[in-house]
């Protein structure tokens, strides 16, 4: 049974690299019908913050990486100490200084003696004796890796403040939690030989290791905030869909083959193989992420998008949460979703569909509505008013008939109509726009214009 873990330290937000590690662990667990464990490595009380922890948990849930088990290292200090003391007893580790064990003068029983012993002990670091030898392991992604451990100094297991070191707590937990595959970023490769020594000293069975390739910024070099190493919460705030972000993370080191870029998570679970992850560094291409996001918006269910769009419309007072035409909203989302990169693009593009009076930029007015068009608009209205089926094809047929009757070019009427109806100079096909606006709104909007002109 495969058991994997994601082990973030809540000393910062969940970033792209961490989210990719979480994804590959989660995905491997799903593909093997295994267990995905979340282990919060909060041994550093000074640097671990609740705010970071909350963000990490929220972001993982938002991305859809449900964990089956959750542990906090800060609740396991006794376990680490017990194993460190066992190593001391077995003479594989030692206290940093000679331990002053004082007999209690007024000794009233063993309990006090034991407490004293314990508190004295916590002031002393426990250190592993590192044998001089070579060690090696086979990384599932990178193949065989050999280390000369003679360069590794004796390792601190428990610091003098009583907290365990990362390598020690990590090995104890991976072993006790029966982790079968340690999948993590390749910045941890240099920790692996130290951890292997610990497995040996403790007599624990080694897991498999898989180190994921580095993620580089597109402009070269390591990721930094400026180069896109943004927290997942910021991606969320910027209007990326979780499915799109997950698809993007998937391609950071893995490919479903045949140059495919859009892949459904269910299919990815079927195809994913940790051994097929690339050795070479992945490049963070945010333009690609934008493209993927637009593809996901295009394919998204309009009702689902509406759930994200409704609060944005309410915020801008474009609709009343308790009283709006949902069918109209859904038709508009369907009309615009192929032209959006972000969910909030809808607001900019479609805001004028929700107002009573369309505002027109004076420059656009000057360019497209600089002549009296009331006759053309009235004739167009008359034609479409009599349509029994208010569909784009029928509206277009009336429009074509009218321009030929008037002996004008289509563009001479298309642009003025679009600007008068929507206040925008670009947008989806005019006949689709009119069909979604509906007969009443179209009539209202054009009549207002006709009245102004006459
Ligand atoms: N807490 C470590 C980190 O955030 C975990 C490393 C590991 O997966 O072993 O990098």
């Amino acid at each position: 049974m495969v058991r994997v873990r994601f082990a973030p330290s809540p000393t910062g937000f969940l970033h792209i690299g961490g989210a990719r590690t979480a994804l590959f662990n989660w995905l491997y667990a799903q593909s093997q019908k295994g267990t995905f464990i979340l282990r919060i490595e909060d041994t550093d009380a000074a640097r671990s913050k609740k705010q970071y922890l909350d963000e990490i948990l929220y972001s993982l849930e938002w991305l859809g990486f449900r964990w089956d088990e959750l542990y906090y290292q800060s609740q396991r200090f006794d376990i680490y100490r017990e194993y460190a003391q066992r190593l001391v007893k077995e003479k594989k580790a030692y206290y940093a200084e000679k331990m002053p064990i004082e007999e209690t003068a007024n000794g009233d029983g063993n309990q006090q003696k034991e407490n004293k012993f314990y508190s004295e002990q916590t002031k002393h670091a426990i250190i592993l004796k590192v044998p001089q030898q070579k060690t090696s392991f086979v990384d599932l992604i990178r193949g065989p890796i050999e280390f000369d451990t003679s360069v590794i100094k004796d390792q601190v297991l428990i610091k003098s403040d009583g907290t365990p070191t990362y390598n020690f707590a990590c090995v104890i937990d991976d072993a006790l939690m029966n982790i079968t595959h340690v999948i993590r970023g390749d910045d941890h490769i240099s920790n692996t030989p130290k951890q292997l020594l610990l497995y040996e000293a403790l007599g624990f069975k080694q897991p498999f290791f898989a180190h994921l390739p580095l993620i580089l910024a597109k402009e070269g070099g390591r990721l930094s905030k400026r180069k896109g190493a943004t927290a997942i919460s910021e991606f969320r705030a910027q209007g990326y869909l979780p499915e799109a972000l997950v698809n993007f993370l998937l391609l950071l080191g893995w490919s479903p083959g045949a140059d495919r870029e859009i892949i459904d998570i269910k299919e990815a679970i079927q195809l994913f193989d940790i051994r097929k992850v690339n050795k070479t560094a992945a490049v963070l291409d945010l333009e690609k992420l934008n493209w993927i996001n637009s593809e996901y918006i295009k394919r998204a269910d309009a009702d689902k998008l509406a759930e994200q769009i409704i609060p944005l419309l309410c915020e801008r007072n474009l609709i009343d949460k308790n009283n709006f035409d949902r069918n109209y909203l859904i038709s508009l989302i369907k009309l615009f979703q192929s032209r959006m990169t972000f969910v909030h693009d809808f607001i900019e593009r479609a805001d004028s569909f929700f107002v009573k009076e369309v505002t027109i930029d004076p420059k656009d007015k000057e360019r497209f509505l600089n002549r009296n068009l009331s006759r053309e608009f009235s004739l167009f209205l008359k034609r479409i008013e009599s349509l029994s089926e208010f569909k784009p094809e029928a509206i277009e047929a009336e429009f074509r008939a009218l321009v030929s009757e008037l002996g004008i070019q289509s563009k001479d009427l298309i642009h003025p109509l679009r600007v008068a109806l929507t206040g925008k100079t670009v947008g989806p096909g005019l006949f689709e726009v009119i069909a979604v606006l509906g007969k009443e709104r179209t009539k209202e909007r054009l009549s207002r214009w006709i009245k102004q002109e006459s």
Side-chain angles (χ1 to χ4, degrees):
M1 170 84 160
V2 163
R3 287 174 61 87
V4 292
R5 84 315 190 260
F6 175 53
S9 304
T11 52
F13 293 117
L14 182 67
H15 283 249
I16 283 284
R20 197 258 325 243
T21 302
L23 167 63
F24 282 27
N25 273 287
W26 177 84
L27 200 56
Y28 190 57
Q30 302 306 306
S31 72
Q32 301 298 308
K33 304 215 174 355
T35 304
F36 174 57
I37 290 161
L38 178 60
R39 186 170 75 222
I40 304 299
E41 302 210 325
D42 53 354
T43 55
D44 186 339
R47 289 177 59 229
S48 298
K49 300 262 182 300
K50 173 137 191 336
Q51 165 202 12
Y52 295 134
L53 172 65
D54 291 345
E55 190 273 340
I56 291 169
L57 297 179
Y58 188 86
S59 292
L60 290 174
E61 276 189 271
W62 180 71
L63 290 167
F65 310 153
R66 290 281 157 76
W67 51 88
D68 304 301
E69 295 171 23
L70 172 64
Y71 301 94
Y72 291 87
Q73 284 193 326
S74 58
Q75 296 169 1
R76 300 168 59 82
F77 281 10
D78 286 349
I79 301 174
Y80 310 130
R81 172 160 294 277
E82 191 188 311
Y83 277 94
Q85 283 170 342
R86 185 195 287 183
L87 288 176
V88 173
K89 229 180 256 158
E90 292 172 356
K91 306 215 172 336
K92 293 174 179 165
Y94 56 90
Y95 289 101
E97 287 166 51
K98 205 173 170 306
M99 197 177 31
I101 309 173
E102 288 166 25
E103 289 293 331
T104 41
N106 61 347
D108 61 339
N110 287 336
Q111 189 54 42
Q112 197 182 345
K113 209 162 159 186
E114 227 176 80
N115 284 346
K116 180 81 180 162
F117 181 76
Y118 191 84
S119 66
E120 286 298 343
Q121 264 187 348
T122 58
K123 291 190 192 127
H124 293 268
I126 301 179
I127 297 177
L128 181 81
K129 290 181 201 162
V130 171
Q132 309 281 298
Q133 62 178 48
K134 278 196 163 100
T135 185
S136 66
F137 71 101
V138 181
D139 190 276
L140 294 180
I141 297 169
R142 303 174 152 252
I145 300 183
E146 200 172 284
F147 292 95
D148 184 354
T149 50
S150 62
V151 295
I152 300 178
K153 296 197 195 83
D154 284 3
Q155 281 188 75
V156 178
L157 306 178
I158 305 282
K159 296 185 230 169
S160 55
D161 65 2
T163 60
T165 54
Y166 153 69
N167 280 319
F168 188 54
C170 177
V171 168
I172 299 284
D173 282 347
D174 284 342
L176 298 186
M177 293 170 192
N178 294 315
I179 301 300
T180 55
H181 296 72
V182 170
I183 302 171
R184 60 186 170 197
D186 72 356
D187 47 329
H188 284 290
I189 276 203
S190 61
N191 284 319
T192 309
K194 295 177 191 162
Q195 298 188 359
L196 290 172
L197 291 174
L198 283 166
Y199 278 99
E200 217 166 288
L202 290 155
F204 288 151
K205 186 171 176 279
Q206 282 176 19
F208 292 107
F209 288 92
H211 287 91
L212 305 173
L214 203 68
I215 304 174
L216 297 175
K218 200 175 178 195
E219 50 273 66
R222 296 188 77 108
L223 288 186
S224 62
K225 196 162 165 50
R226 196 174 46 80
K227 292 183 196 160
T230 325
I232 297 303
S233 53
E234 282 179 46
F235 283 103
R236 184 168 65 240
Q238 284 168 25
Y240 291 99
L241 299 182
E243 299 83 1
L245 201 51
V246 168
N247 190 139
F248 176 70
L249 291 171
L250 252 180
L251 303 179
L252 292 175
W254 182 73
S255 160
D259 287 333
R260 284 178 64 195
E261 310 245 77
I262 301 292
I263 175 155
D264 178 73
I265 195 70
K266 287 203 191 78
E267 200 189 340
I269 290 171
Q270 301 300 318
L271 295 176
F272 186 74
D273 182 348
I274 193 71
R275 291 163 188 82
K276 297 269 163 61
V277 170
N278 296 335
K279 289 189 198 38
T280 48
V283 175
L284 190 83
D285 181 350
L286 292 176
E287 272 167 42
K288 187 167 175 176
L289 171 59
N290 289 350
W291 174 77
I292 292 176
N293 207 50
S294 68
E295 286 296 311
Y296 272 84
I297 290 189
K298 212 179 277 176
R299 293 155 203 232
D301 180 53
D303 273 296
K304 235 173 121 189
L305 288 179
E307 293 322 309
Q308 297 187 50
I309 288 173
I310 291 167
L312 300 176
L313 289 169
C314 292
E315 247 169 58
R316 287 167 180 74
N317 289 324
L318 289 166
I319 59 167
D320 170 359
K321 180 166 99 237
N322 303 312
N323 182 23
F324 68 94
D325 184 345
R326 194 179 170 93
N327 290 339
Y328 180 51
L329 173 63
I330 297 294
S331 317
L332 282 170
I333 292 176
K334 285 184 181 155
L335 185 61
F336 280 94
Q337 72 187 117
S338 63
R339 316 177 138 250
M340 291 156 50
T341 302
F342 300 103
V343 169
H344 56 73
D345 286 342
F346 180 80
I347 310 297
E348 257 160 62
R349 314 239 160 116
D351 55 354
S352 65
F353 287 75
F354 297 92
V355 295
K356 263 249 157 294
E357 280 187 37
V358 175
T359 24
I360 298 170
D361 187 308
K363 270 196 268 108
D364 296 334
K365 196 166 169 185
E366 177 55 32
R367 185 156 169 226
F368 298 107
L369 295 162
N370 54 1
R371 61 202 157 93
N372 189 331
L373 288 153
S374 43
R375 177 162 168 263
E376 288 88 336
F377 283 2
S378 304
L379 288 171
F380 179 62
L381 258 189
K382 203 183 274 161
R383 281 181 171 268
I384 59 170
E385 267 189 302
S386 59
L387 285 175
S388 54
E389 281 221 13
F390 209 64
K391 293 264 166 65
E393 305 72 36
I395 297 165
E396 178 168 6
E398 292 302 329
F399 175 87
R400 303 275 170 222
L402 177 64
V403 291
S404 92
E405 182 189 302
L406 294 173
I408 57 172
Q409 288 193 321
S410 297
K411 69 173 174 46
D412 293 335
L413 197 51
I414 279 202
H415 297 306
L417 272 174
R418 178 191 297 286
V419 174
L421 285 169
T422 67
K424 316 269 178 197
T425 55
V426 288
L430 178 68
F431 309 114
E432 276 93 32
V433 165
I434 294 174
V436 171
L437 270 174
K439 221 182 252 185
E440 279 317 304
R441 285 189 196 84
T442 305
K443 195 173 153 191
E444 220 179 277
R445 289 174 181 221
L446 285 186
S447 306
R448 197 174 314 119
W449 195 257
I450 293 164
K451 249 185 253 148
Q452 265 178 40
E453 289 293 304
S454 48

